[in-house]
């Protein structure tokens, strides 16, 4: 039951004052890193700044208390920007609240049923593709504030946004562009000067100071509420709730992927092992609470969690201090935060989008199979041009379809009579070579290779085409068949029924565990007769010779 035990209860049994100080210091440092990002992500998602800060506060404390990782730091991330904006544009803030709550419920169920391992089945081209698409979307959204433009009604379509930018270039605010450019330079160059103080904090301090004391004509955050509204359930129709299941599932997948990735990466840094089920349950609980308070979704942040580990954090106590420090910033520093220019925050998110768009990963696919490239490009383009949900769905369908085609391509049915003609035939290294076996007369032997599933079931029909008028026995050698599905089994049933009418006996040789289990459950072993299932090819040939002699 340790899989469902919060890490906090395990790591604080022998807790020292020295470690407490390290955790507190790490929590404060990461809070300084997280503050500007939380504000920027909130505005990018289409909500007010305090909702991003509260999202980081609530989620980090809840996950610290219930989570399965020692140094996980949770908060809003750039991955949610596109999906939250899409939900808000269709269903309003209450739609986002409900989607976040539903995503939280899904995450808890994933944890309870230990489905965290299924995340690894999402192919790499899809994750790289839609992450790149999200990066393009963030850049597109933030370019408006970078240029200092304002619209009565901003187009929701990707191409519509760029058309609006290009047709309004005469209205750009050059002070906003210059200040944003300066902040981008600071964000890029500051880490080379000092790696202790976060570059985003320096960019905000310098950018805000220049705008305030230079009396620049740039838009700022303005007044930000310090408190949240009382928690409540969204007032939506049942139809809307059902419509929100799909985007909620997308949020849940994004949370699970990022949280578990962050946990795995930090495990390597501190030589620990996270509890994936408990991590998903804690992330789900946190997002349900965030939804009730009208905050944006949150998940484990890789960069923040790494910063926590590198600054001495070793227990969830550091994440609690991270949340408390952010709350202190919100209560005390809000009069100063209201002066932060929007172009400065857009500069931060533009740099974030550049880092998200993993150009090196994209270029690494230049020599990959064309099918993988197709999945990569389609996932990326569909994400920024249409919708993240559509991109993941199409990407998964494409990836699954191409995978099944590959599996079908490697599945072969070979007649031993012609086996020497196959490119992969190696007589010298095959101790069971046809040259060393005596095949009885009126007997055909077929070698099956690869998984037999619905995508390759039709290849079994080749067996019927090879049957001669004098054939009395057919042996199917299945030593290289790791799996069989119902479709392939139905095809085998049809072949067996056809053989029975013709007086031909079907013998199976060297059936592996999974195919044999499926055959037993379906009753195929009873149909064919257990005596006609042999453990190896030698016994199968002896049995075939006996049948031929008796007929």
């Amino acid at each position: 039951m340790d899989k469902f035990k919060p890490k906090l209860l395990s790591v604080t049994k022998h807790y020292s004052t020295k470690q407490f100080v390290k955790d507190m210091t790490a929590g404060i440092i990461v809070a300084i890193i997280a503050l500007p990002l939380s504000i920027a992500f909130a505005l990018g998602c289409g909500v007010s700044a305090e909702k991003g800060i509260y999202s980081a506060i609530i989620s980090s404390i809840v996950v610290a208390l219930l989570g399965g990782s020692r140094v996980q730091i949770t908060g809003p991330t750039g991955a949610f920007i596109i999906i939250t904006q899409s939900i808000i544009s269709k269903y309003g803030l209450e739609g986002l609240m409900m989607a976040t709550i539903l995503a939280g419920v899904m995450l808890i169920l994933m944890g309870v049923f230990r489905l965290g391992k299924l995340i690894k089945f999402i192919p790499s081209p899809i994750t790289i593709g839609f992450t790149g698409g999200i990066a393009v979307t963030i850049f597109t959204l933030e370019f408006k504030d970078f240029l200092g433009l304002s619209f009565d009604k901003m187009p929701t379509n990707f191409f519509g946004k760029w058309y609006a930018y290009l047709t309004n270039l005469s209205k750009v605010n050059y002070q906003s562009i210059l200040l944003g450019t300066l902040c981008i330079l600071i964000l890029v160059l500051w880490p080379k000067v000092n790696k202790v103080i976060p570059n985003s904090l320096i960019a905000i301090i310098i950018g805000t100071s220049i705008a305030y004391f230079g009396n620049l004509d740039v838009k700022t955050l303005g007044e930000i509420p310090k408190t949240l509204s009382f928690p409540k359930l969204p007032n939506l129709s049942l139809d809307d709730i059902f419509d929100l299941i799909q985007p909620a599932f997308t949020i849940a997948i994004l949370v699970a992927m990022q949280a578990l990735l962050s946990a795995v990466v930090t495990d390597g840094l501190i030589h620990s092992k996270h509890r994936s089920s408990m991590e998903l349950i804690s992330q789900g609980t946190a997002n349900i609470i965030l939804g009730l308070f009208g905050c944006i979704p949150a998940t484990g942040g890789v960069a923040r969690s790494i910063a926590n580990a590198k600054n001495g954090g070793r227990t969830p106590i550091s994440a609690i201090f991270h949340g408390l420090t952010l709350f202190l910033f919100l209560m005390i520093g809000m009069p100063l935060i209201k002066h932060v220019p929007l172009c400065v925050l857009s500069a931060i998110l533009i740099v974030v989008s550049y880092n998200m768009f993993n150009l090196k990963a994209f270029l690494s696919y230049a020599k990959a199979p064309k099918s993988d490239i197709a999945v990569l490009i389609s996932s990326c383009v569909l994400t920024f041009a249409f919708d993240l949900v559509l991109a993941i769905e199409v990407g998964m369908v494409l990836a699954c379809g191409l995978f099944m085609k590959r599996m079908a391509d490697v599945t072969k049915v070979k007649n031993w009579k012609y086996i020497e003609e196959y490119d992969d035939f190696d007589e010298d290294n095959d101790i069971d070579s046809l040259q060393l076996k005596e095949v009885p007369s009126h007997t055909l032997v077929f070698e099956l290779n690869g998984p037999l599933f619905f995508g390759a079931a039709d290849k079994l029909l080749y067996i019927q085409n090879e049957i001669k008028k004098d054939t009395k026995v057919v042996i199917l050698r299945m030593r290289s068949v790791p799996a069989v599905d119902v479709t392939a089994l139905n095809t085998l049933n049809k072949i067996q029924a056809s053989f029975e009418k013709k007086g031909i006996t079907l013998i199976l040789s060297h059936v592996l565990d999974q195919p044999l289990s499926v055959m037993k459950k379906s009753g195929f072993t009873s149909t064919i007769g257990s005596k006609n299932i042999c453990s190896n090819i030698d016994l199968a040939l002896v049995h075939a010779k006996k049948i031929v002699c008796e007929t």
Side-chain angles (χ1 to χ4, degrees), residues 314-355:
R314 288 296 180 273
T315 75
I317 299 295
S318 59
I320 294 175
F321 271 105
H322 163 265
L324 295 175
T325 305
L326 284 175
F327 183 74
L328 198 63
F329 284 156
L330 184 64
M331 294 297 106
I332 297 173
M334 203 51 67
L336 297 175
I337 294 175
K338 70 179 182 180
H339 297 295
V340 176
L342 295 181
C343 61
V344 173
L345 294 174
S346 70
I348 292 173
L349 285 182
I350 285 172
V351 173
V352 167
S353 68
Y354 174 80
N355 293 330

Side-chain angles (χ1 to χ4, degrees), residues 442-455:
H442 310 294
T443 300
L444 292 177
V445 181
F446 294 89
E447 179 93 25
L448 309 186
N449 286 286
L452 293 176
F453 66 108
F454 62 89

Side-chain angles (χ1 to χ4, degrees), residues 339-418:
H339 297 295
V340 176
L342 295 181
C343 61
V344 173
L345 294 174
S346 70
I348 292 173
L349 285 182
I350 285 172
V351 173
V352 167
S353 68
Y354 174 80
N355 293 330
M356 282 184 71
F357 194 94
N358 194 339
L359 185 61
K360 186 177 180 181
F362 269 82
L363 294 176
S364 69
Y365 276 82
K367 296 181 180 180
K370 291 180 180 179
S371 56
D372 287 336
I373 297 174
V375 173
L376 176 75
I377 294 174
S378 62
S379 297
C380 181
V381 173
L382 287 172
T383 298
F384 67 75
F386 295 97
D387 183 65
L388 176 60
V389 178
L390 178 66
I392 293 177
E393 290 174 345
V394 172
M396 286 298 293
V397 170
L398 269 177
C400 290
L402 292 168
F403 173 76
M404 287 185 286
K405 183 182 181 301
R406 287 172 184 167
M407 290 299 98
D409 288 343
V410 300
T411 300
K412 292 181 174 62
V413 178
K414 305 174 183 178
N415 188 334
W416 259 23
K417 184 179 178 182
Y418 311 113

Side-chain angles (χ1 to χ4, degrees), residues 413-419 421-422 442-447 459-476 495 499 502 504:
V413 178
K414 305 174 183 178
N415 188 334
W416 259 23
K417 184 179 178 182
Y418 311 113
I419 200 165
E421 298 176 8
Y422 290 96
H442 310 294
T443 300
L444 292 177
V445 181
F446 294 89
E447 179 93 25
K459 293 190 176 184
L460 292 170
L461 300 177
Y462 164 76
I463 296 169
Q464 290 181 308
N465 298 333
E466 291 292 305
I467 300 300
K468 310 299 181 184
K469 288 183 179 180
D470 62 343
T471 301
K472 295 180 180 179
V473 179
V474 172
I475 299 174
L476 300 185
I495 292 172
F499 285 177
K502 296 176 182 179
I504 299 173

Side-chain angles (χ1 to χ4, degrees), residues 215-235:
N215 198 26
L216 298 185
D217 181 25
V218 292
K219 291 183 179 180
T220 60
L221 277 174
E223 292 293 337
I224 301 173
K226 292 183 179 180
T227 58
L228 288 173
S229 58
F230 193 77
K232 63 175 182 177
L233 283 171
N235 184 23

